[in-house]
Amino acid sequence: MLSIISTRDHEPRERLDFWNELIGSTYDGMSIDGVDGPFNASLGVWQSDAFRIVRPRSRPAMIVRHECGRTSSTKRTFLMHMTTQGQIEMEQRGRKSMLGPGDLVICAAEEYYRFNAATNHEMMVVEFDGATALDRLPTFEDHVARPIRAGLPGTRIIRRYMDSLWQEGREDLPPGQSTVHANILLDMTIACLSEPAGTLRPAADRTLAQLEDAIGARLDDYTLRPSSLAADLGIPLRTLQDVAARAGTTLNTMILRQRLQRGTQLLRKHSGASIADVADACGFSDPSYFARRFAQHFGISPSEYRSCN
């Protein structure tokens, strides 16, 4: 099930200490240093029988996992980090790289590594058993600390898959499905590691894919605006507007289209949910406005759409 923990309910002077205690209990040997200003963060955890997805979000910070945190000299664990917002410098085994939205990187959990986030940022983190990963891909170890870029088809697919899983996190998975999804996550990650860099999209197409993914990750956020997308991606607003224009649309239209499309999915899946609940889950604070835009876009009201599906 999905749980969300935040620093919001703690006094500002206590937040960093609280966060270090929380993160240290989640990942042994990890510590956080705030950069500038009051520290704020949240941590989403989706724990199932066979895997766990952790989704930390915070203000600028230095995240370090110390080698002394290893629990067993023989255990091997890999962590797949996918950046969903912000810009983060990553270092492990003497390798440094800058990660942007949609980029992923593999870390060796029992070794020292560091993330230096100079901006507000968010990541999705999945843990893989080392023996299983190496059995599936004997060269898995070679990919540690080598970033896999967002422009590759494999990284785009795994980002969307993880976002979809996250949307289901408020409900328990049916028996047996947890293991299936854990295996799929590992196989998709291996596919990303094995993908040739020559399949990268042109720069404009990569930015469009990043933009669509960033919108999809925040559809339930009432405050989502073109300016906040630019801040999340670390890309100038004018650049994003130009990318949308070349695709024959606008940023506001992209946001609206994805919200309405999410609405159709929720109307089909959750027959007992009210229209107001569906509107809220899609980022509409006013159910009447949601219903009006839905009818304009699909030519049918949300209630009528549900009855036909």
Side-chain angles (χ1 to χ4, degrees):
M1 290 291 287
L2 178 65
S3 60
I4 306 291
I5 306 169
S6 172
T7 59
R8 185 179 307 167
D9 297 330
H10 295 263
E11 293 293 330
R13 65 179 181 275
E14 300 172 350
R15 289 176 179 175
L16 189 56
D17 288 341
F18 162 74
W19 201 248
N20 269 303
E21 183 177 347
L22 173 66
I23 293 297
S25 65
T26 304
Y27 292 115
D28 186 43
M30 183 170 286
S31 63
I32 313 291
D33 285 327
V35 179
D36 294 311
F39 185 77
N40 288 298
S42 65
L43 182 73
V45 180
W46 183 27
Q47 181 73 56
S48 70
D49 293 338
F51 68 93
R52 177 176 65 179
I53 299 178
V54 178
R55 193 166 192 167
R57 174 187 289 184
S58 87
R59 285 178 50 82
M62 179 79 76
I63 304 104
V64 177
R65 192 166 191 183
H66 302 279
E67 188 170 3
C68 61
R70 68 173 61 189
T71 57
S72 169
S73 60
T74 59
K75 180 178 173 60
R76 296 293 294 148
T77 306
F78 297 108
L79 296 171
M80 188 273 281
H81 295 77
M82 174 166 278
T83 306
T84 53
Q85 295 177 26
Q87 301 289 324
I88 307 172
E89 182 187 61
M90 183 270 176
E91 177 184 2
Q92 188 172 44
R93 295 184 177 179
R95 301 169 185 159
K96 289 185 180 182
S97 58
M98 185 62 69
L99 306 173
D103 293 341
L104 69 82
V105 69
I106 300 297
C107 294
E110 288 77 38
E111 301 174 25
Y112 169 89
Y113 63 83
R114 176 182 65 86
F115 288 96
N116 183 13
T119 64
N120 292 352
H121 62 281
E122 180 187 69
M123 291 185 288
M124 298 184 79
V125 186
V126 180
E127 183 174 300
F128 297 125
D129 174 70
T132 304
L134 290 166
D135 182 62
R136 299 277 187 92
L137 181 67
T139 60
F140 200 97
E141 186 85 46
D142 298 340
H143 296 278
V144 168
R146 300 186 186 277
I148 311 298
R149 297 304 179 187
L152 293 167
T155 46
R156 296 196 304 273
I157 291 170
I158 196 171
R159 167 73 185 274
R160 289 167 181 160
Y161 185 74
M162 291 176 70
D163 281 336
S164 297
L165 281 177
W166 193 258
Q167 294 299 321
E168 303 299 323
R170 292 177 175 84
E171 301 179 10
D172 287 327
L173 291 173
Q177 284 200 13
S178 179
T179 300
V180 171
H181 288 297
N183 288 329
I184 291 173
L185 278 170
L186 178 55
D187 287 340
M188 293 179 78
T189 301
I190 288 172
C192 289
L193 301 181
S194 305
E195 196 166 24
T199 57
L200 277 169
R201 282 184 175 183
D205 289 347
R206 294 199 302 272
T207 303
L208 181 62
Q210 289 179 334
L211 180 56
E212 291 173 339
D213 287 343
I215 293 171
R218 292 184 58 186
L219 284 182
D220 60 349
D221 184 353
Y222 297 152
T223 68
L224 179 60
R225 299 290 185 274
S227 58
S228 56
L229 286 172
D232 288 348
L233 293 169
I235 298 174
L237 178 59
R238 172 58 64 185
T239 300
L240 294 183
Q241 290 170 332
D242 289 343
V243 168
R246 283 195 291 270
T249 187
T250 67
L251 296 175
N252 282 320
T253 299
M254 291 177 68
I255 294 171
L256 177 62
R257 186 180 68 243
Q258 283 209 41
R259 281 179 164 160
L260 293 175
Q261 193 62 43
R262 172 69 59 79
T264 65
Q265 297 169 0
L266 296 177
L267 287 167
R268 289 194 302 268
K269 182 173 181 180
H270 301 289
S271 58
S274 68
I275 300 302
D277 288 339
V278 172
D280 181 75
C282 297
F284 291 92
S285 58
D286 182 353
S288 298
Y289 179 69
F290 165 68
R292 186 165 63 253
R293 296 311 299 262
F294 191 98
Q296 290 172 351
H297 189 78
F298 295 108
I300 189 172
S301 73
S303 298
E304 292 169 330
Y305 180 89
R306 171 179 278 165
S307 66
C308 294
N309 290 272

